[in-house]
Amino acid sequence: MDPSRDQHSRAAHGNGPVIGQADPGVGLPREHLVVLIVDLVDSVRLMIEDEAGSVHRWAGFVEATRQDILPAWGGTLVKSLGDGLMARFSTAVSAAQAAARMHAYFETLNAALPQHLQMRLRAGINASHAWLDDLDIYGTGVNLAARLASLGGPGETIGSEAVRQALAAALARHAQPGQTLASAAVRDDLTAGLDALCEDLGHCQLKHFREPVRAYRIGPPGPRPSIAGLRDYGVKMDPAIAVIPFTSRGCDASYLDVGNLMADAVIWRLSRAPHLRVISRLSTSAIAGRDDPANEALRHLDAHYALTGSFVVASGKLLITAELVDTRSGRIAWTERLSGTVSDLLEPESELAHRIAQAAHQAVFDAEVERVFAQPLPTLSSYSLLLGSIRLMHRSSRDEFFLTRQMLDELIHRHGRVAAPHAWLGNWYVLLTTRGWSQDRGREAAEALAATRAALERDPTDALALATEGFAHCHLLRDLDTARARCQLAVDSNPNHALGWLYLGVVQAFRGEAAQALEATRRATALSPLDPQRYYFESLGATAELSARHYAQAEALARSSIALNRMHSSTWRVLTISLAAQDRLPEAHSALQQVRRLDPQLTVSRYLARMPNADLETGREWARHLAAAGLPDGP
């Protein structure tokens, strides 16, 4: 490494004083360092499964690191963290090579171990400056990623320097098993192909960081690529779930088939859920009763999630323990104990099966959102991007909503010939307006229609694209006639498309077609009973009830929706209108305060300016109720 190049790089990245310069405010020398942090993947699970063996193997690794790896590359062990370690180096090259050697240590060790006991590292490297003494190094750049949470507390901010300093720990946490992630400061000090092989991951959204971070995946150099490409350009965008027949715990032989009955009931409900591939019980039964059914589901069924459980029958009651496992990591995404009766499982609308299916489906979406925040964007599987973007579109945070746009752009880049990512992008522009974040409605209308047009060029019968185009004409162009026609085309194209019926029902509600609106929105909910955005279905269903002047029903649906998502301002508006229409003005005024907290600029005039039905009786009537609740006329 050329020392002059190293100094130039440090100056370019604002890394501060030269090596060894004392900081008078601290009383310790402050040096420019390259910090390597490694983390043992699934350490808790490994300890539970084989505590003595895991401790022995980890201690052997730490000793090899101290005696062999670090001395070979000029590194210094700062501390062992129980399931990770921290080391410092003078150059990026030495840190990268040491990290590669650490991964190789476990590759050799794992060759003699069964799959469930194999150990893998995640590593992160960042160039930073820190204070140091004979015992430790200090500064944000060498703290564990958990420290980031406290940096965002009251009175503290995560400034650009703190973000740079914390990257090593954050990148280590966000790497995948066997990977090393490096910051841009480290990458700039590596000669690609000579010092390391590097894959640019672009600007990656790392949890707890306010701004995306440029990150690189690095591996040892060699005549052949040593890091495989991570991007998934296949067409599958739905994760697979295997529902494995639940096992009996000491039940009478007459109850042994209850596990199959339970699996059948849950599979039937999950098969109706959007964005999920459900594996047949004829396949999942083959791995029932095995020691590690989740791992078997991944190996033999290519299932990303496994729903397993056990049951007992006591005093005529069925007691169930169910859990959803992410088969790739072994992490439990959801678990719960439930009770019911065997006879309930025989009912066409089994409440017990519905509760299990709904919780599992919700957990899949939540797990994929966590995956979005825990991995750099380009490394995510396509279904993580799709499910995460759908979920985040409806989350309350503005930053999360705009992250969705990046995810959809990545999906379009991967699956340019597939209609769905383009259609969801169109939907994003509609929600941008309905959530009150529109800056230029005309431009956003053009963008939304360009996205739906791109989707329909790829599939002229795509119901999501047709319905979204209709909703764009409704909310962005206020053209209810065209909106109704396009939504009708959507449900004609696919009579089982829940979002198509939901959007059609809302357009009909705005037009004052109350009976049709109620039929359409209720049909939408029936078609997607497990929808992870149920609050949205209930919110728009409440609008249909308003059009029919069913104010008590509108109130009930709005309150149910708010219980699922308190941050959706239009639901609070519906609740306000329904309460005012029932002459419950004090309650309506209280609900209106919630509206104005979420949408402080709202006035009657602005409400009418944005509503598609402002010139129709429904719009004028709803505006009168808002005024009665205390909404000012305004400009």
Side-chain angles (χ1 to χ4, degrees):
M1 173 79 54
D2 180 355
S4 63
R5 182 167 72 113
D6 188 47
Q7 290 178 0
H8 173 75
S9 176
R10 264 181 258 142
H13 289 283
N15 282 322
V18 297
I19 291 177
Q21 179 174 327
D23 188 306
V26 177
L28 294 174
R30 197 181 193 197
E31 294 188 5
H32 178 271
L33 304 170
V34 179
V35 179
L36 166 65
I37 292 179
V38 298
D39 173 48
L40 178 62
V41 178
D42 286 343
S43 59
V44 174
R45 179 185 63 79
L46 288 166
M47 291 294 178
I48 291 173
E49 294 197 10
D50 181 17
E51 182 177 21
S54 295
V55 169
H56 174 73
R57 287 185 284 273
W58 178 256
F61 164 70
V62 173
E63 184 64 16
T65 298
R66 293 177 57 196
Q67 297 297 326
D68 301 324
I69 299 176
L70 292 180
W73 302 111
T76 301
L77 181 65
V78 177
K79 62 179 69 174
S80 176
L81 306 169
D83 58 356
L85 58 81
M86 181 191 307
R88 60 184 177 94
F89 300 81
S90 60
T91 70
V93 173
S94 57
Q97 291 173 333
R101 183 65 190 87
M102 291 176 187
H103 288 307
Y105 176 94
F106 281 110
E107 288 177 10
T108 302
L109 182 68
N110 288 338
L113 293 172
Q115 178 77 24
H116 68 286
L117 293 181
Q118 292 181 3
M119 306 175 84
R120 291 178 176 81
L121 296 176
R122 298 177 296 195
I125 307 176
N126 184 45
S128 179
H129 49 258
W131 293 277
L132 67 160
D133 58 21
D134 293 337
L135 298 176
D136 208 343
I137 57 177
Y138 308 95
T140 315
V142 295
N143 286 342
L144 292 176
R147 171 65 178 137
L148 294 175
S150 66
L151 286 175
E156 296 186 83
T157 60
I158 303 178
S160 59
E161 181 176 347
V163 168
R164 281 200 310 274
Q165 293 174 329
L167 272 178
L171 290 170
R173 283 198 61 173
H174 293 85
Q176 289 299 289
Q179 286 186 8
T180 299
L181 298 189
S183 66
V186 170
R187 168 63 184 87
D188 286 350
D189 283 342
L190 298 172
T191 299
L194 180 62
D195 297 328
L197 293 175
C198 305
E199 180 186 4
D200 187 357
L201 300 180
H203 286 91
C204 302
Q205 190 75 33
L206 302 181
K207 193 171 185 179
H208 300 305
F209 283 78
R210 294 181 179 176
E211 299 296 332
V213 172
R214 190 69 173 270
Y216 298 81
R217 191 166 64 112
I218 63 174
R224 292 173 298 177
S226 58
I227 55 175
L230 288 175
R231 294 182 182 236
D232 170 20
Y233 293 101
V235 296
K236 290 183 179 179
M237 286 189 281
D238 294 336
I241 183 171
V243 182
I244 300 168
F246 287 18
T247 57
S248 166
R249 292 186 297 174
C251 292
D252 184 271
S254 61
Y255 291 108
L256 293 183
D257 203 42
V258 168
N260 289 328
L261 183 64
M262 197 175 309
D264 283 339
V266 173
I267 285 171
W268 182 79
R269 280 154 183 80
L270 284 176
S271 65
R272 301 168 62 194
H275 310 297
L276 206 59
R277 288 188 294 123
V278 184
I279 295 171
S280 165
R281 187 175 66 80
L282 296 177
S283 296
T284 62
S285 294
I287 60 175
R290 295 179 182 259
D291 291 340
D292 190 354
N295 186 47
E296 298 290 333
L298 176 63
R299 289 177 56 202
H300 299 295
L301 303 177
D302 195 25
H304 308 102
Y305 292 91
L307 181 61
T308 65
S310 60
F311 67 91
V312 295
V313 179
S315 303
K317 293 198 72 174
L318 185 64
L319 304 176
I320 298 169
T321 299
E323 67 179 33
L324 183 75
V325 179
D326 184 330
T327 60
R328 296 146 298 178
S329 66
R331 186 178 68 87
I332 296 175
W334 163 80
T335 185
E336 189 172 338
R337 300 190 69 185
L338 309 97
S339 63
T341 63
V342 175
S343 60
D344 172 74
L345 293 175
L346 298 171
E347 295 294 327
E349 296 298 329
S350 166
E351 175 63 24
L352 191 57
H354 179 81
R355 287 167 58 195
I356 294 173
Q358 185 173 43
H361 190 225
Q362 187 83 22
V364 168
F365 270 76
D366 289 342
E368 294 308 324
V369 169
E370 288 302 310
R371 197 177 297 276
V372 165
F373 287 117
Q375 293 183 26
L377 200 66
T379 70
L380 289 165
S381 60
S382 292
Y383 63 78
S384 295
L385 289 168
L386 179 64
L387 269 62
S389 63
I390 294 171
R391 190 82 161 129
L392 291 177
M393 278 191 210
H394 293 269
R395 294 266 283 254
S396 59
S397 164
R398 181 185 176 97
D399 290 343
E400 289 175 343
F401 181 82
F402 280 94
L403 170 60
T404 298
R405 175 60 197 271
Q406 298 177 42
M407 297 162 66
L408 292 171
D409 286 343
E410 175 68 17
L411 272 176
I412 290 170
H413 173 63
R414 294 184 189 185
H415 305 283
R417 297 183 180 182
V418 179
H422 296 277
W424 281 112
L425 179 59
N427 208 51
W428 184 88
Y429 278 106
V430 175
L431 287 174
L432 179 70
T433 298
T434 60
R435 298 193 67 179
W437 295 328
S438 173
Q439 298 296 317
D440 183 340
R441 184 172 292 203
R443 181 184 61 80
E444 288 148 8
E447 294 278 5
L449 294 177
T452 57
R453 185 164 55 250
L456 292 170
E457 287 171 357
R458 288 150 179 80
D459 182 358
T461 64
D462 186 78
L464 175 61
L466 290 166
T468 299
E469 189 170 84
F471 228 39
H473 277 283
C474 172
H475 283 285
L476 299 176
L477 299 176
R478 300 174 64 179
D479 180 354
L480 292 177
D481 292 338
T482 303
R484 189 186 190 284
R486 300 307 281 174
C487 289
Q488 186 65 53
L489 275 178
V491 297
D492 288 343
S493 174
N494 182 358
N496 294 316
H497 195 263
L499 209 55
W501 284 107
L502 186 67
Y503 286 175
L504 176 61
V506 173
V507 173
Q508 290 169 330
F510 287 153
R511 289 166 56 94
E513 299 167 353
Q516 298 96 313
L518 290 174
E519 180 182 356
T521 54
R522 290 171 182 174
R523 184 168 182 173
T525 302
L527 284 170
S528 190
L530 303 179
D531 202 287
Q533 310 308 333
R534 186 175 181 85
Y535 90 91
Y536 192 55
F537 281 69
E538 292 180 338
S539 178
L540 300 190
T543 300
E545 299 288 351
L546 276 188
S547 72
R549 295 186 173 87
H550 295 168
Y551 300 122
Q553 293 91 326
E555 176 192 352
L557 275 176
R559 291 191 185 280
S560 178
S561 177
I562 288 167
L564 298 172
N565 184 352
R566 296 185 60 83
M567 306 303 292
H568 199 234
S569 61
S570 67
T571 313
W572 285 103
R573 289 201 306 267
V574 171
L575 179 60
T576 302
I577 293 167
S578 65
L579 291 169
Q582 298 176 72
D583 292 326
R584 292 157 58 186
L585 294 181
E587 293 174 79
H589 181 74
S590 178
L592 181 64
Q593 302 315 303
Q594 294 292 339
V595 175
R596 303 209 71 195
R597 287 191 185 96
L598 295 170
D599 191 357
Q601 304 303 315
L602 186 68
T603 62
V604 172
S605 299
R606 288 175 177 165
Y607 171 78
L608 289 170
R610 76 169 63 155
M611 290 299 292
N613 60 338
D615 296 329
L616 301 176
E617 179 54 32
T618 53
R620 292 191 291 267
E621 181 178 323
W622 298 346
R624 288 195 296 271
H625 288 311
L626 287 171
L631 186 66
D633 287 338

